[in-house]
Amino acid sequence: MKETIAPVIVEKYEGLIRKVTYRCGVHSHHPNFEDYLQEARWQLVLLAVDYTDIQSFEEAFPLSYLYKKLYWSLIDFQRKQKECENLVDLAKEGLEVPAKLEALNELEIQLAFQEFYTQLDEKDQERLTALLGGRPLSRQMKSYYRQILREKFKLFFQSF
């Protein structure tokens, strides 16, 4: 089995990992702080797995390049977390994801929701945007918008 320098690299760049998480707006009091640290460590391990000595790793990934690489991987991780939260928000708003969609991967679900959104008329698109936090709504208006969109949501996702 091939030995890697991944544990040494992760230990060496722990300070950089923390700096990148802080730059992404995730500080030590954030509820998912450890998750972000683990994600950054994992990205660093994936980068270091092909190298057998620190010098070759540092030549391939200068500090500024490594910083940017980790930063963008955490930004991508944040985006994926936000997409999952949006699905939870839809469920809270009464627009539950049909059971058949649970077997699909995230990309297919995202494409399905985008297709659903584009098939709505302008008023319904505004309603959905308002429900997802686009503007403040009264409790009655939220209920009314959910009632209107729930039927269209069910009709659209019957095909799945």
Side-chain angles (χ1 to χ4, degrees), residues 23 32-33 82-83 111 118 142 159:
R23 168 88 191 284
N32 297 330
F33 179 69
K82 186 68 175 169
E83 288 173 4
L111 290 173
T118 56
K142 283 184 180 181
S159 63

Side-chain angles (χ1 to χ4, degrees), residues 93 131 142-152:
E93 291 297 334
L131 273 176
K142 283 184 180 181
S143 175
Y144 175 69
Y145 286 178
R146 280 193 301 263
Q147 179 183 2
I148 291 171
L149 292 172
R150 191 175 292 128
E151 294 302 318
K152 294 178 182 191

Side-chain angles (χ1 to χ4, degrees), residues 3 12 19 38 47 49 75-76 97 99-100 105 135 157:
E3 286 191 32
K12 180 176 181 178
K19 188 174 185 176
Q38 284 296 87
L47 293 174
V49 77
I75 293 294
D76 188 47
V97 179
K100 291 178 184 177
N105 67 29
R135 65 174 195 241
F157 283 104

Side-chain angles (χ1 to χ4, degrees), residues 28-83:
S28 58
H29 63 277
H30 192 279
N32 297 330
F33 179 69
E34 286 299 321
D35 294 339
Y36 283 91
L37 286 179
Q38 284 296 87
E39 180 65 23
R41 288 180 188 127
W42 178 245
Q43 292 300 321
L44 198 55
V45 166
L46 291 176
L47 293 174
V49 77
D50 294 331
Y51 297 92
T52 55
D53 63 342
I54 294 175
Q55 290 78 18
S56 62
F57 178 80
E58 289 176 345
E59 287 174 8
F61 297 101
L63 192 60
S64 61
Y65 180 68
L66 187 60
Y67 179 88
K68 289 176 186 176
K69 191 104 168 129
L70 292 174
Y71 174 74
W72 286 110
S73 69
L74 284 183
I75 293 294
D76 188 47
F77 182 69
Q78 282 180 325
R79 181 188 55 78
K80 289 176 184 175
Q81 293 287 344
K82 186 68 175 169
E83 288 173 4

